[in-house]
Amino acid sequence: MDRFKARGYRCYFTGEILDREEASLDHLIPVSKGGDHADCNIELVHMVINRMKGTLSEADFVRWCVAVAVHSGGCRLPERQDSQK
């Protein structure tokens, strides 16, 4: 899809550049929750993120990620070498 190329093949959730082995397509609104296969409901994500998200909606997944970060004390992560420019 051209929009993935235009975004530099970055993960929708993390912004990391993905290679073919890491890339996965995710339904932002899972099909099991009424989502469809329309382009606007599909994003390129890291396969690990896709497994973690499972059947959660985008909003529910982000809420859980925030809850984990808050509970863990919001630890400081090292600077990424491939930061978005």
Side-chain angles (χ1 to χ4, degrees), residues 26-38:
D26 177 58
H27 290 86
L28 297 176
I29 301 171
V31 174
S32 66
K33 305 252 168 90
D36 58 19
H37 300 294

Side-chain angles (χ1 to χ4, degrees), residues 1-83:
M1 295 183 169
D2 290 335
R3 66 188 167 110
F4 300 146
K5 182 178 181 180
R7 294 187 204 152
Y9 299 104
R10 293 185 179 273
C11 174
Y12 178 78
F13 289 106
T14 68
E16 292 183 25
I17 297 172
L18 302 173
D19 59 34
R20 283 182 188 251
E21 292 77 32
E22 301 169 324
S24 177
L25 293 176
D26 177 58
H27 290 86
L28 297 176
I29 301 171
V31 174
S32 66
K33 305 252 168 90
D36 58 19
H37 300 294
D39 284 349
C40 62
N41 190 41
I42 297 174
E43 286 295 344
L44 190 68
V45 300
H46 193 287
M47 66 181 184
V48 172
I49 299 294
N50 202 358
R51 281 195 303 265
M52 289 175 13
K53 182 177 171 280
T55 60
L56 294 173
S57 69
E58 175 185 9
D60 287 340
F61 176 66
V62 170
R63 267 194 293 281
W64 278 109
C65 289
V66 170
V68 168
V70 168
H71 178 73
S72 68
C75 61
R76 182 171 166 79
L77 299 175
E79 290 295 317
R80 289 188 0 210
Q81 297 301 312
D82 67 338
S83 63

